[in-house]
Amino acid sequence: MFPKPKAALTPNTYAYESEPMVKATGFREYDARWLFSKEINLMGIQALGMGLGTLIAELGQKQEIVTGHDFRGYSASIKYALISGLLAAGCKVHDIGLAVTPMAYFAQFDLDVPCVAMVTASHNDNGWTGVKMGANRPLTFGPDEMTRLKEIVLNADFRTGSGGSYQFHENFPARYIADLTNRPKLKRKLKVVVAAGNGTAGAFAPKVMEAIGCEVIPLDVELDHTFPKYNPNPEDMEMLHAIRDAVLQHKADVGLGFDGDGDRCGVVDNTGEEIFADKVGVLLARDMSALHKNAQFVVDVKSTGLFVTDPVLQKQGATTTYWKTGHSYMKRRTHELKALAGFEKSGHFFFNAPVGRGYDDGLVSAIAICEMLDRAGDKTMSDLKDALPKTWSSPTMSPHCADETKYGIVDKVVRHFEDAKAKGAKVAGQAIRDLVTVNGVRVTVEDGSWGLVRASSNKPELVVVVESPVSEQRMRDMFEAMDSVLRTHPEVGEYNQKI
């Protein structure tokens, strides 16, 4: 018997040390995220492990699983609590120790293990923890599995079993690094700033980039789970500006920034200008579709419209499908369509063969970017970027909105724009040309300017992105149009950043 988890317990009490606490909202659409000690305790993590082991058996999968943890002060203890639950459920656990998330995905293939549970809060601020899970490589859980996992854990509907065992795989990172670097060296000598924001990728990224032939300028690669400089998130302008300064100081060819768990890569060009990940995706799609006829790509609804309108991609016969934002959704859709690659604006890139194994790995993305530059002759990163048709794009902007209310708010925003289109109402002074409602609402008006509102899948926030192929002012007009609708809902708070 194991007690049913409580929704809330007070730290530093008998109950907190004697009962599991699991807040229901921590079960997100495709992974799990909680504020540790405020929304989940170690017994709650143990319950999660028992629930995951139970679900794996229910799915008919072999109860064998890879575990790893990111570099935060509490991640190791959380992983061991999770492992204790997995063992109680009868799982054979393969622990690879401190790791970036894609190293755990790689281990599923390298060790021939079907399931994964990676303890990471990814790019979330300190205080957050979470688990990325899967039972069918290279895929991770989607809403169906997460909903069932939530039911099992919150109802303590565990099936404990015998046969659990534990194996630690010593020096596993060396196998991962060898796999990434088993390729011809770059012909072109590239000077590359490698930034990790003191997160987990700092232990591995410089070695990998040096091994493929780059001259590496390390930036904040020392592991420090207090994140003293900035949060390791290559979508945040603070990290991008630090990379910019290093690129200009060292006259580097490119700056590459990795997020807290190493599955994303941000890019700054040789002039110090950041290239948002969706534009990097267009550049990679151009490069890859020149090598592979009739290449198919998947991109998320936050991404630039250039994937459809770019004349080079059209000429090379590339086709693109827009899909739901979220690493699990994108991974699954890229896998289902057997697309060459999937690109998400947040920087999660999914390369199928011959480049990758279908999962998101910031280092695979970094290598693909360097190989693209290697094939570009004497063209610089800014040359490649400037060859794209000009658009004005915002960063990802996130106004606060509680987990309990954010989906309801987005439903109302979707209905607002559906009604506006039906009535012929104008948005930012123009008629609506197209609505995409596969994930929130993406509103495109007559001149091709568009704005997106959706619910964040892993934080108590909404997500707003705008772009215009016409002018910066039209981009700002679209932001005002989208924001004015959000401001009619008092539950929507302040933005983390704005244009």
Side-chain angles (χ1 to χ4, degrees):
M1 290 291 290
F2 194 87
K4 274 191 183 183
K6 299 287 197 300
L9 291 170
T10 304
N12 198 23
T13 62
Y14 177 85
Y16 185 87
E17 294 297 327
S18 308
E19 299 176 74
M21 173 178 67
V22 181
K23 190 179 179 187
T25 53
F27 293 93
R28 311 283 167 162
E29 290 179 46
Y30 47 80
D31 59 19
R33 306 271 174 104
W34 290 276
L35 280 165
F36 183 51
S37 79
K38 294 180 180 177
E39 298 178 347
I40 197 165
N41 63 2
L42 286 176
M43 275 189 81
I45 295 287
Q46 186 181 4
L48 179 67
M50 293 167 72
L52 177 56
T54 300
L55 177 60
I56 289 167
E58 196 175 277
L59 292 170
Q61 189 56 271
K62 185 167 67 168
Q63 285 184 291
E64 200 166 340
I65 190 164
V66 170
T67 61
H69 69 280
D70 69 5
F71 193 76
R72 292 174 187 257
Y74 42 82
S75 289
S77 60
I78 287 169
K79 182 185 70 177
Y80 290 122
L82 183 76
I83 287 171
S84 72
L86 290 165
L87 292 173
C91 291
K92 180 176 182 181
V93 175
H94 296 265
D95 187 4
I96 61 170
L98 181 69
V100 286
T101 294
M103 193 186 298
Y105 299 152
F106 165 72
Q108 289 178 272
F109 289 87
D110 191 56
L111 302 175
D112 193 21
V113 174
C115 306
V116 67
M118 175 68 193
V119 172
T120 177
S122 187
H123 64 276
N124 285 26
D125 298 331
N126 263 325
W128 285 90
T129 190
V131 187
K132 291 180 178 177
M133 295 163 277
N136 181 21
R137 64 187 184 216
L139 307 181
T140 39
F141 283 171
D144 291 345
E145 295 93 341
M146 290 305 300
T147 299
R148 179 60 187 138
L149 180 62
K150 178 180 175 180
E151 289 172 355
I152 293 169
V153 173
L154 296 184
N155 293 316
D157 188 17
F158 308 121
R159 296 177 203 165
T160 53
S162 59
S165 65
Y166 174 86
Q167 181 178 355
F168 183 81
H169 291 269
E170 198 172 357
N171 298 324
F172 189 80
R175 294 163 71 162
Y176 169 69
I177 291 170
D179 181 75
L180 285 171
T181 57
N182 182 22
R183 63 183 66 237
K185 285 205 173 187
L186 302 172
K187 298 186 224 33
R188 181 176 177 183
K189 191 66 178 176
L190 296 174
K191 185 186 284 189
V192 179
V193 171
V194 173
N198 304 109
T200 322
F204 314 111
K207 295 177 190 172
V208 170
M209 302 315 292
E210 281 177 357
I212 68 166
C214 296
E215 178 188 345
V216 169
I217 308 297
L219 178 66
D220 302 325
V221 298
E222 305 80 15
L223 298 189
D224 185 342
H225 50 60
T226 67
F227 302 149
K229 304 286 184 63
Y230 45 78
N231 211 41
N233 180 7
E235 277 193 291
D236 284 357
M237 302 311 290
E238 196 173 358
M239 184 174 190
L240 290 167
H241 288 164
I243 299 171
R244 171 199 64 195
D245 295 345
V247 165
L248 294 175
Q249 179 187 343
H250 295 280
K251 296 183 171 57
D253 295 294
V254 67
L256 302 171
F258 300 92
D259 73 333
D261 68 332
D263 55 13
R264 295 189 294 132
C265 178
V267 179
V268 172
D269 74 14
N270 52 295
T271 71
E273 187 172 322
E274 67 274 0
I275 312 177
F276 293 132
D278 54 346
K279 298 284 182 68
V280 176
V282 177
L283 295 177
L284 287 168
R286 279 182 161 194
D287 180 57
M288 296 171 75
S289 60
L291 300 171
H292 304 275
K293 283 185 67 176
N294 301 317
Q296 186 174 7
F297 301 102
V298 179
V299 301
D300 77 316
V301 292
K302 291 197 299 182
S303 291
T304 176
L306 285 177
F307 282 102
V308 171
T309 61
D310 177 45
V312 173
L313 290 179
Q314 289 177 345
K315 182 183 176 186
Q316 291 175 177
T319 56
T320 300
T321 300
Y322 282 83
W323 194 240
K324 298 177 184 179
T325 292
H327 68 85
S328 189
Y329 295 129
M330 287 289 297
K331 202 177 313 188
R332 194 169 296 250
R333 192 64 172 163
T334 304
H335 179 76
E336 287 170 351
L337 295 179
K338 296 182 174 58
L340 188 59
F343 302 111
E344 192 180 6
K345 186 178 169 70
S346 65
H348 287 279
F349 292 171
F350 313 87
F351 296 99
N352 280 325
V355 179
R357 295 183 179 88
Y359 54 78
D360 37 340
D361 186 335
L363 280 163
V364 172
S365 302
I367 291 166
I369 289 160
C370 290
E371 290 184 340
M372 173 180 69
L373 279 169
D374 202 33
R375 285 188 282 267
D378 59 356
K379 289 180 180 173
T380 64
M381 196 74 201
S382 62
D383 291 337
L384 296 178
K385 176 201 69 185
D386 292 344
L388 293 177
K390 178 71 176 170
T391 68
W392 288 262
S393 308
S394 76
T396 299
M397 302 172 285
S398 299
H400 185 269
C401 192
D403 287 320
E404 293 83 352
T405 59
K406 64 187 181 184
Y407 291 103
I409 297 294
V410 169
D411 287 343
K412 290 175 184 175
V413 173
V414 171
R415 284 198 294 273
H416 169 88
F417 285 110
E418 286 176 337
D419 291 345
K421 188 171 191 289
K423 293 172 183 171
K426 293 187 175 179
V427 173
Q430 295 190 9
I432 297 172
R433 188 181 83 194
D434 184 43
L435 288 181
V436 176
T437 57
V438 70
N439 185 205
V441 61
R442 177 170 166 144
V443 185
T444 304
V445 297
E446 289 172 312
D447 68 1
S449 302
W450 60 268
L452 169 80
V453 174
R454 58 176 290 272
S456 169
S457 301
N458 47 37
K459 290 179 86 173
E461 295 174 342
L462 302 181
V463 173
V464 179
V465 181
V466 292
E467 181 185 58
S468 176
V470 179
S471 66
E472 181 181 350
Q473 185 57 50
R474 287 295 295 149
M475 174 189 74
R476 294 182 178 278
D477 293 345
M478 284 305 297
F479 173 70
E480 292 302 325
M482 306 306 285
D483 186 56
S484 65
V485 176
L486 293 180
R487 290 303 131 205
T488 64
H489 300 283
E491 303 92 334
V492 180
E494 290 302 309
Y495 285 81
N496 65 334
Q497 58 183 359
K498 276 186 177 182
I499 51 174

